[in-house]
Amino acid sequence: MTTGQTTGGPATAGPVTVEHDGTPLRGTVDLPGGKHAFAHVLAAAAVAADVELTGVPANSDALALVDAMRLVFADVEHDRDARTLRLRSPLPPGTVEWSAELVSRSRNLYCLIPATLHHRGRLRFAGVPAGCEIGLRPTQWYLDTLALFGATWRATEHGTDVEWTVRRPARVAFAYPSMTGTVVAVAAALATPGASVVEGATAEPSCWEQVEALAANGADVHRVGDRITVTGPGPDTVRWAVGPDRIHAVTLLTAGLLTRGAVTVRFTRDLRVPRFVELCERIGAEVEVGDGTMTVAHPGDRALRATDVRAGSEPVFSSDWAPFAALLLATRAEGRSTLTDTVFVDRFQFLDRLVPAGLDAPVVSRTHVEGRPAVEVVVDGRPDVRLRGGVLEDCPDIRGSAALLLAALVADGPVTIPRATHLLRGYEDLPGQLRQLGVTAAHHLEVVR
């Protein structure tokens, strides 16, 4: 048995502090490869026997996935500085065991179950791969999807055992567009001889990128709208440059608006954030899209406009961007805004952490939208608000933690998040990038192996 011995996650899980004097942020930041794009492309690419990816991000979530690949491939070459990952020589059939430590580091491990079973045959893990605590998140759903392709799984007193000895093509129909479910289904189809169909697939661009990467490497895969057809087996070799981190872009562009500045992000492939661009234009921000760049600027002489935002599974405004929109509308827009999230009912929990710092208390209510549990938050924008600096209560999700850090840009003193664990899962060095744009002071964090 090969056990989940890993080289470690984030070495720094302590406090992170940002302080800013209020001057407008200006500058250009090169975007790293996307957290989601890497996980989703890797899920399918790792079904091959020879994989080479560039533009690999170095957040702690990505490092957990690399460690999981060490249990599948004999030759794993990961160069953090060069942003490359090379996988070769799959290990012989056997049982892979994900340690409790590995499982605690990334929910995206679900994406790697098909490739792990494809090469090794059996997987055992305790607990469930952990991610953000933002409401009910499915677990059995992904295993049941694999069962359609012939895999079997059972819960034991020690965790979960999954095997894949008999494979059959499948038709998968999602009632709601699951991002991870789509990734798992496509990867499983790639490892299964014959034609499979995925219907109700998510429109999340990283899942489109998964299909694009496969097609570029000769896989028989086609996507039309929410329907994906895959005929396996897939290619033996996969080469791909991971696309830019869209959530990272929204984070930095929001930072510019919070300081009444203008921030540019630079990328090597289409950014694909049309709903965010629409929001910026609706609230009165100025957007300029160039060749491989996007700049968002505050109008400067007037407040941003209040608006309503419905967030959820794309193609609507992404749930991952909702915390940044809420912070922006509460502190730089004038008037009342209503935001709804139809994916995660605890998406706006970070706002509660800002009320003691002087944010007007939002009105949060649980509701249903099209039969699904949802959350609605009403914020009264104060465009000249100045929050109080201090130590904020931790927020157990990546984007909420990032929004708390951005609150320092509208505060009268340093803002500290006591534990940076969740922040590091999605950002290799957000404080350093803010400092690059002109933030007065930011404690540097680095994910160290």
Side-chain angles (χ1 to χ4, degrees), residues 89-440:
S89 304
L91 291 166
T95 298
V96 171
E97 183 172 321
W98 286 346
S99 69
E101 185 275 336
L102 179 60
V103 168
S104 72
R105 289 166 55 193
S106 175
R107 183 175 171 80
N108 273 327
L109 287 169
Y110 280 117
C111 299
L112 301 185
I113 294 178
T116 300
L117 295 176
H118 171 65
H119 292 298
R120 305 299 313 279
R122 185 179 183 189
L123 171 66
R124 176 180 298 158
F125 57 93
V128 295
C132 298
E133 299 173 25
I134 46 181
L136 182 64
R137 311 191 75 176
T139 55
Q140 183 175 323
W141 195 352
Y142 313 133
L143 298 174
D144 286 345
T145 295
L146 276 169
L148 295 175
F149 292 90
T152 59
W153 68 275
R154 63 188 181 94
T156 71
E157 60 179 328
H158 303 293
T160 302
D161 281 357
V162 193
E163 291 186 79
W164 201 6
T165 56
V166 177
R167 306 188 189 190
R168 58 175 179 264
R171 176 184 176 274
V172 181
F174 293 113
Y176 187 82
S178 165
M179 181 172 66
T180 303
T182 299
V183 172
V184 168
V186 170
L190 194 71
T192 303
S196 297
V197 178
V198 181
E199 296 181 334
T202 180
E204 215 276 353
S206 61
C207 294
W208 282 84
E209 183 173 341
Q210 181 192 44
V211 171
E212 291 166 352
L214 292 174
N217 282 275
D220 187 355
V221 54
H222 306 277
R223 176 164 189 161
V224 179
D226 67 353
R227 190 174 193 268
I228 304 172
T229 58
V230 183
T231 301
D236 290 331
T237 302
V238 172
R239 303 283 185 266
W240 189 252
V242 178
D245 195 310
R246 303 178 316 121
I247 311 173
H248 209 111
V250 171
T251 307
L252 296 172
L253 295 172
T254 300
L257 292 176
L258 288 169
T259 61
R260 299 186 175 92
V263 166
T264 299
V265 292
R266 188 160 50 205
F267 40 89
T268 57
R269 186 179 294 140
D270 289 346
L271 192 55
R272 299 177 180 176
V273 290
R275 301 290 89 80
F276 177 72
V277 170
E278 289 175 4
L279 173 69
C280 290
E281 294 172 341
R282 202 161 66 237
I283 63 179
E286 300 166 359
V287 181
E288 181 179 348
V289 180
D291 184 14
T293 64
M294 177 180 292
T295 302
V296 174
H298 190 281
D301 58 346
R302 61 184 185 277
L304 298 177
R305 294 189 291 267
T307 191
D308 295 338
V309 177
R310 178 178 171 180
S313 181
E314 295 187 72
V316 303
F317 191 88
S318 173
S319 175
D320 280 313
W321 309 336
F324 308 116
L327 177 65
L328 189 61
L329 292 169
T331 63
R332 283 294 176 260
E334 189 168 31
R336 176 165 293 183
S337 299
T338 300
L339 300 97
T340 305
D341 193 297
T342 62
V343 178
F344 299 117
V345 295
D346 291 325
R347 178 56 88 182
F348 300 106
Q349 60 189 309
F350 81 97
L351 291 171
D352 294 335
R353 276 73 170 170
L354 292 176
V355 172
L359 185 75
D360 285 350
V363 178
V364 181
S365 57
R366 299 291 174 86
T367 183
H368 283 78
V369 175
E370 298 177 355
R372 287 183 55 84
V375 60
E376 179 181 276
V377 58
V378 179
V379 297
D380 288 314
R382 288 194 291 148
D384 296 313
V385 68
R386 199 76 170 146
L387 301 180
R388 292 184 294 275
V391 179
L392 302 177
E393 180 186 351
D394 278 315
C395 187
D397 77 271
I398 298 172
R399 311 310 165 185
S401 296
L404 290 182
L405 201 64
L406 293 189
L409 305 179
V410 294
D412 62 7
V415 167
T416 297
I417 301 174
R419 294 178 64 249
T421 303
H422 282 283
L423 188 70
L424 286 170
R425 287 179 46 235
Y427 302 88
E428 180 181 0
D429 183 21
L430 180 57
Q433 290 185 318
L434 293 174
R435 193 167 55 245
Q436 179 183 338
L437 292 171
V439 163
T440 307

